[in-house]
Amino acid sequence: MNNERLMKVLLAPILSEKSTRITEASRHVAFRVATDATKREIAGAVELLFSVKVDAVQVLNVKGKQKRVGQRLGRRQDWRKAYVHLQPGHDIDFGGGA
């Protein structure tokens, strides 16, 4: 795995109520990732960008919702979500210490 590919795997952290609750309860962090990313690439990208140790990765595909704009039907894009479990003693802080 080259570093250029790993930099493109993680698209954004998911900061919702559910993901915050999961992070506080058990050291899982949720990310939006590239649709063709593998578990090993995701783990490598998190370790490279945040200097933490990854214990496990769970990945799921999210189907895009159908939406209507006037009379036209459209569809949002499908995307992929990853739950990254960190080893004990490691933590990622997206709040900036506030």
Side-chain angles (χ1 to χ4, degrees), residues 1-54:
M1 293 182 286
N2 60 8
N3 288 344
E4 186 175 326
R5 167 68 180 157
L6 293 181
M7 297 297 277
K8 295 179 182 178
V9 169
L10 296 180
L11 301 178
I14 299 175
L15 302 175
S16 63
E17 289 182 29
K18 179 182 177 182
S19 67
T20 304
R21 204 171 348 112
I22 290 172
T23 301
E24 291 172 356
S26 60
R27 296 172 312 276
H28 282 81
V29 183
F31 289 99
R32 186 174 184 152
V33 296
T35 55
D36 60 344
T38 63
K39 289 183 177 185
R40 288 186 180 173
E41 287 177 336
I42 295 167
V46 171
E47 288 177 353
L48 177 70
L49 291 174
F50 298 106
S51 301
V52 295
K53 293 291 183 185
V54 174

Side-chain angles (χ1 to χ4, degrees), residues 93-98:
D93 183 24
F94 294 115

Side-chain angles (χ1 to χ4, degrees), residues 28 39 42 56-60 81-85:
H28 282 81
K39 289 183 177 185
I42 295 167
V57 177
Q58 292 179 327
V59 180
L60 60 112
K81 184 190 299 190
Y83 288 105
V84 178
H85 184 77

